Structures are given as structure tokens and as C-alpha cells.
């Protein structure tokens, strides 16, 4: 059954008492699910959130994966083997499942309750996986928790985030070119973020830089920087810091203060400078990852152009057996 996100979650709630939500995918799709995981942990007083790679759900399923569980699974192409297997394990255990894919001919679209999305430059942010997940969770909390007060603020954010993203993307274009000119030959770099936006530090590292540009890097949670990694800080290493909003921002600010004192090469991408405050302060931290994803796309595109390394060039993925 293909349908809109809100309709599918309402159908689930007609027969199920959801107590646990599992966010399950691989790679970039798993990145897209982390903000929802963070949102649910922050806002729900009755539902437990679990975020894991699809393979882990299959080989080591949680005891909470039962008839009171909802699995939100994403596979961009809709045929990712690990995701299909994980969904089948979830269904066997009695869980409800909603999948997301952009491929209407895929296994996900044919066999499971699925939200289909477009994936092009014209697609609104609220119709991409991050937006779909937030729409599902907003409806879930509205239906299950009478004290949930942020429903309308989330809807307003979903309405406004696309224009914020498009304005910001235009704003940083020259900046990304300059970054690529200066840093395209870096041997190693660090990407940091916190809160819901930690997902984008993770995704920028493993997808944009390692997978698409074959650049050595690592991702760090801003809160963990001072528990080991900061010992590598010097004038030679490059840091990219994603500064979000909400209570987690103080961790990013602490990192920036240290980099200003002991580092030399760092790029700060601040959601506040890019218009996120147009969304209500009580919820705008949950929209920072949508903004940051598009910023990292702009940076990786500039790197591609300067390094002449096509984003779709692969050595192993889809090339060899693994």
C-alpha cells in the first residue's frame, strides 16, 4: 500500500499501541533517519526510539521488536538487501512497518506500506525522507500524547524549511568555491556536529567525502571532541563544524572557542547565519539537519568540480562483490 505519511501512521494507530519506534536503514538513508530518532527521544514521554543499521536489526533483533513496535525503514532505491531482510524480520516479529523509497518499481513499493518520494532539485524538503519522518512522528505524538504541544510549530517549520534551504544554498555558493580552492588537497579532515545535526557530520563524512570523493576524514560528536580527539588539534588539521540550534548548540560553541585558540584551519557552517531562526525557536533544531544536508551537498559539489572527481565514481560499491 502506497500512501501519504500521515495516512499510513493513522492506519497503524487504529490497531496498534506503539511503544517503540525503530529507525532502520543503511548509509545515507540511515543518516536521514537520525533526526527523527533525536526528535522522538527529545519530545516523547511514552515512546522509546531505536536507531540502527538494517543489518544489525536482522542479525541481533531487539527484544522490543514486537507487536507494539513501529519500524520506519528507508531504502533510496527500494531494493537494499539489508533493509528488505530487516523489514521481513520486523514483520515476522509482529511489528508495524512503514518504508520510504523513490522507486515505485522496487520491492519496498510493491510489498510493504510505503511512502514514495521524488528526488530532484524541485522536491520540497517536507517531501524528502527527513521531512516524511518528521511528519509521521508529529502525527504519532499528536495522536498518542495529549500533552504534546509542538504539533503546529512543526507544521509551520515543514511549510517554511524549503524556502530557507533554497535561500541558504544560493548564499553559500561563492563560499563553497573558495573552500574547495583552499582545501581540495587536504590529506585528512574532521567533521563535527551535535544534537539532531550530528547526523549530518556523520553523513558528510561517510557519504560525501569518503564514498563520493575518496577523502580520508572522520566524524565527531561535538560533545566527544574534548574526550580524546582534541589532542590532534593543531594548525595543520582542517575542521568543519556544523553549528545547530537548541540546547546542544553549547557543545558546538565550546568546540569553536577551542579551535579559535589552538587551530588555524576550520570552516564553520552556522544554521543561525543561514536563516533557521525563521522557524520557531522551540523546534528549529529539528530542521537544522535538512539545512545542513543541502549545505554539505554544495560543499561536495564544489570539491568535485575542483578535484575533477565525479560524485558517482566508485571503486567497489556496485562494482565488485562484497
Amino acid at each position: 500500500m502506497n500512501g501519504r505519511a500521515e495516512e499510513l501512521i493513522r492506519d497503524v494507530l487504529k490497531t496498534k499501541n506503539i511503544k517503540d519506534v525503530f529507525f532502520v536503514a543503511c548509509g545515507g538513508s540511515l543518516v536521514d533517519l537520525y533526526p527523527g530518532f533525536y526528535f522522538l527521544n527529545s519530545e516523547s514521554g511514552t515512546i522509546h526510539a531505536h536507531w540502527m543499521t538494517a543489518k544489525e536489526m536482522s542479525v541481533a533483533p531487539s527484544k522490543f521488536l514486537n507487536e507494539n513496535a513501529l519500524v520506519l525503514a528507508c531504502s533510496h532505491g527500494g531494493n537494499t538487501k539489508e533493509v528488505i531482510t530487516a523489514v521481513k524480520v520486523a514483520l515476522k516479529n509482529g511489528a508495524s512497518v512503514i518504508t520510504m523509497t523513490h522507486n515505485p518499481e522496487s520491492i519496498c513499493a510493491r510489498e510493504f506500506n510505503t511512502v514514495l518520494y521524488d528526488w530532484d532539485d524541485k522536491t520540497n524538503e517536507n517531501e524528502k525522507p527527513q521531512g516524511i519522518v518528521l511528519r509521521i512522528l508529529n502525527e504519532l505524538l499528536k495522536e498518542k500524547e495529549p500533552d504534546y504541544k509542538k504539533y503546529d510549530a512543526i507544521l509551520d517549520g515543514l511549510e517554511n524549511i524549503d524556502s530557507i534551504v533554497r535561500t541558504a544554498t544560493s548564499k553559500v555558493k561563492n563560499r563553497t568555491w573558495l573552500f574547495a580552492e583552499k582545501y581540495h588537497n587536504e590529506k585528512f579532515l574532521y567533521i563535527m556536529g551535535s544534537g539532531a545535526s550530528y547526523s549530518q557530520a556523520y553523513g558528510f563524512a561517510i557519504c560525501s567525502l569518503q564514498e563520493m570523493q575518496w577523502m580520508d576524514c572522520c566524524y565527531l560528536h561535538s560533545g566527544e571532541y574534548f574526550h580524546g580527539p582534541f589532542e590532534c588539534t593543531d594548525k595543520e588539521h582542517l575542521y568543519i563544524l556544523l553549528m545547530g540550534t537548541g540546547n546542544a548548540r553549547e557543545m558546538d560553541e565550546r568546540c569553536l572557542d577551542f579551535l579559535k585558540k589552538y587551530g588555524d584551519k576550520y570552516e564553520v557552517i552556522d544554521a543561525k547565519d543561514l536563516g533557521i531562526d525563521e522557524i520557531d525557536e522551540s523546534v528549529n533544531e529539528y530542521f537544522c539537519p535538512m539545512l545542513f544536508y543541502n549545505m554539505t551537498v554544495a560543499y561536495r559539489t564544489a570539491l568535485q568540480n575542483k578535484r575533477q572527481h565525479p560524485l558517482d565514481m566508485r571503486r567497489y560499491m556496485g562494482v565488485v562483490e562484497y
Side-chain angles (χ1 to χ4, degrees):
M1 173 186 172
N2 299 327
R4 284 186 55 79
E6 294 84 353
E7 295 168 354
L8 291 177
I9 188 59
R10 290 188 200 116
D11 285 343
V12 168
L13 293 174
K14 288 176 183 177
T15 59
K16 295 293 184 75
N17 179 24
I18 300 302
K19 298 180 180 178
D20 292 85
V21 176
F22 289 81
F23 300 85
V24 179
C26 303
S29 294
L30 187 62
V31 171
D32 281 340
L33 300 185
Y34 187 90
F37 162 77
Y38 183 87
F39 168 81
L40 195 59
N41 266 331
S42 298
E43 298 296 341
S44 177
T46 65
I47 303 171
H48 306 109
H50 314 261
W51 178 77
M52 62 181 64
T53 184
K55 187 68 174 180
E56 184 176 358
M57 171 171 277
S58 300
V59 301
S62 166
K63 296 296 184 184
F64 293 104
L65 186 63
N66 55 39
E67 66 277 6
N68 295 317
L70 169 66
V71 173
L72 298 180
C74 187
S75 169
H76 189 58
N79 296 310
T80 308
K81 290 186 295 183
E82 294 92 338
V83 174
I84 301 302
T85 301
V87 167
K88 290 180 177 179
V89 169
L91 291 170
K92 184 178 179 180
N93 283 25
S96 301
V97 173
I98 297 174
T99 67
M100 289 160 277
T101 181
H102 87 301
N103 182 3
E105 306 302 322
S106 65
I107 295 172
C108 282
R110 294 197 311 267
E111 298 188 11
F112 311 128
N113 289 332
T114 298
V115 181
L116 290 171
Y117 58 85
D118 292 326
W119 192 262
D120 57 44
D121 292 340
K122 296 180 181 179
T123 305
N124 193 294
E125 291 299 314
N126 63 32
E127 296 291 343
K128 294 179 180 178
Q130 286 192 53
I132 292 168
V133 169
L134 197 51
R135 285 160 49 199
I136 289 172
L137 297 177
N138 201 37
E139 289 296 322
L140 176 63
L141 293 189
K142 177 189 176 185
E143 295 295 324
K144 280 192 61 69
E145 301 190 5
D147 293 334
Y148 178 58
K149 305 297 185 186
K150 298 184 179 179
Y151 182 79
D152 290 333
I154 291 292
L155 289 184
D156 287 343
L158 288 165
E159 182 69 24
N160 292 320
I161 185 60
D162 195 70
S163 63
I164 294 170
V165 164
R166 294 181 187 278
T167 299
T169 300
S170 177
K171 181 178 181 179
V172 302
K173 191 170 185 178
N174 286 345
R175 177 176 161 183
T176 61
W177 288 345
L178 292 172
F179 176 89
E181 285 289 332
K182 190 173 183 179
Y183 295 124
H184 66 279
N185 281 326
E186 287 296 310
K187 301 299 183 184
F188 194 92
L189 60 156
Y190 297 87
I191 302 97
M192 295 194 293
S194 68
S197 299
Y198 172 61
S199 59
Q200 301 313 306
Y202 170 54
F204 191 29
I206 71 165
C207 295
S208 294
L209 298 182
Q210 292 178 324
E211 176 186 338
M212 297 181 182
Q213 287 299 293
W214 303 353
M215 295 179 73
D216 287 329
C217 61
C218 87
Y219 55 92
L220 297 171
H221 192 288
S222 301
E224 283 292 278
Y225 174 60
F226 294 99
H227 299 277
F230 75 142
E231 286 293 338
C232 290
T233 304
D234 55 27
K235 302 293 184 182
E236 302 302 320
H237 283 90
L238 171 62
Y239 286 82
I240 299 174
L241 177 60
L242 306 179
M243 295 188 67
T245 55
N247 292 334
R249 183 179 173 89
E250 70 174 68
M251 292 184 279
D252 304 328
E253 292 174 335
R254 185 184 178 202
C255 290
L256 180 57
D257 289 342
F258 193 87
L259 289 172
K260 286 179 177 179
K261 189 172 183 180
Y262 295 105
D264 186 47
K265 299 191 298 188
Y266 52 88
E267 182 82 355
V268 180
I269 307 174
D270 191 339
K272 284 182 172 289
D273 294 339
L274 297 171
I276 202 66
D277 283 340
E278 292 179 31
I279 296 174
D280 191 281
E281 185 179 9
S282 68
V283 299
N284 64 21
E285 64 178 308
Y286 305 127
F287 294 89
C288 289
M290 299 182 198
L291 176 60
F292 285 143
Y293 169 72
N294 286 276
M295 296 304 97
T296 62
V297 168
Y299 276 83
R300 81 184 184 202
T301 300
L303 285 169
Q304 168 200 245
N305 294 340
K306 179 62 181 178
R307 301 175 79 239
Q308 297 187 349
H309 183 116
L311 294 174
D312 59 357
M313 185 165 65
R314 302 290 184 272
R315 282 186 288 201
Y316 307 116
M317 186 176 290
V319 178
V320 303
E321 292 293 325
Y322 52 90

